[in-house]
Amino acid sequence: ERVLTQSPGTLSLSPGERATLSCRASQTIGNNYFAWFQQKPGQAPRLLIYDASSRATGIPDRFSGSGSGTDFTLTINRLEPEDSAVYYCQQYAHSPLTFGGGTKVEIK
Amino acid sequence: QVQLVESGGGVVQPGTSLRLSCAASGFTLSSYGMHWVRQAPGKGLEWVALLRYDGENKYYADSVRGRFTISRDNSKNTLYLQMNSLRVDDTAVYYCAGGSGWLSRYWGQGILVTVSS
């Protein structure tokens, strides 16, 4: 099983700042089948990034993904109050599919 | 517009069974890989099961293998999760999700399953 470790656990930033979220896999993720999701309280997760760096439909270009192999990053530029949420990484290359534990982004 | 709507949740006792449904509209389930993902109260996301687009290949998390079965009815465009021998730690919001390959592009709103005596 590929364990995904997200860091930091919580990120507290001001509007306009940049957030950098990391996710490290215990083994290489094949084909860069790696995704990032945003989840707000009481809502279902929303796909932000897939294939490590492709933005999903309707996602602002403030969100970008990068990385390969075992290290992946989600960057959120020019933070807005609506970006307050928990962000999860996921690998969908290997069964069992696995999620990271999540990073909570708080907007001051 | 793609829509996934889960139903069938509720409160059940340990050791009993429950079947969740996920009705799809705006896309054809048989063309996509479909998943069940769950989230225990206050916890993170846990992948539960995957049904490949071919309807033949099924994959399960170790925590549910042998107790849960994923399936679909193409005529009803509906995905199911048959959950047997339920345990207290199966308590969670269950989401159906799907997309091309193994990507969870589309998500339902979730349905709560509570296992309690």
Side-chain angles (χ1 to χ4, degrees):
Chain A
E1 173 177 324
R2 281 158 171 84
V3 176
L4 302 183
T5 303
Q6 289 190 241
S7 61
T10 302
L11 207 48
S12 184
L13 296 167
S14 299
E17 291 190 305
R18 173 185 297 165
T20 302
L21 287 65
S22 296
C23 186
R24 175 163 290 176
S26 60
Q27 301 174 66
T28 297
I29 306 303
N31 298 308
N32 276 353
Y33 284 168
F34 198 87
W36 291 92
F37 296 88
Q38 176 192 67
Q39 187 179 35
K40 297 181 179 180
Q43 296 185 17
R46 177 174 73 146
L47 177 67
L48 298 175
I49 301 290
Y50 65 97
D51 293 351
S53 60
S54 297
R55 259 187 309 276
T57 303
I59 302 303
D61 60 7
R62 301 186 294 105
F63 292 85
S64 64
S66 63
S68 65
T70 60
D71 290 291
F72 298 87
T73 300
L74 174 69
T75 301
I76 312 171
N77 289 309
R78 304 182 302 280
L79 276 168
E80 298 184 2
E82 68 209 45
D83 298 332
S84 179
V86 179
Y87 294 82
Y88 294 96
C89 59
Q90 185 207 33
Q91 65 82 15
Y92 53 97
H94 311 276
S95 181
L97 282 68
T98 47
F99 288 93
T103 291
K104 184 176 184 178
V105 174
E106 298 177 339
I107 311 299
K108 295 177 184 175
Chain B
Q1 180 183 352
V2 174
Q3 193 171 17
L4 299 173
V5 179
E6 300 95 339
S7 61
V11 181
V12 295
Q13 292 189 330
T16 61
S17 299
L18 199 61
R19 188 178 80 159
L20 303 183
S21 301
C22 171
S25 58
F27 85 145
T28 303
L29 281 186
S30 59
S31 298
Y32 297 95
M34 294 299 298
H35 305 261
W36 287 98
V37 175
R38 68 185 181 183
Q39 187 168 35
K43 302 298 184 182
L45 301 171
E46 179 188 15
W47 173 79
V48 173
L50 161 66
L51 177 64
R52 254 183 42 154
Y53 72 94
D54 58 14
E56 297 294 326
N57 289 283
K58 305 176 183 183
Y59 305 84
Y60 297 95
D62 287 346
S63 57
V64 306
R65 186 176 292 111
R67 300 187 300 123
F68 290 12
T69 302
I70 189 171
S71 63
R72 74 181 185 220
D73 184 330
N74 291 341
S75 67
K76 296 181 179 180
N77 208 28
T78 298
L79 179 74
Y80 300 103
L81 184 67
Q82 178 66 43
M83 304 185 293
N84 298 331
S85 303
L86 281 161
R87 309 188 304 218
V88 171
D89 62 359
D90 293 319
T91 294
V93 173
Y94 285 74
Y95 298 98
C96 67
S100 56
W102 289 10
L103 176 64
S104 297
R105 184 180 298 274
Y106 308 111
W107 291 69
Q109 84 287 352
I111 191 78
L112 178 62
V113 172
T114 302
V115 185
S116 173
S117 55

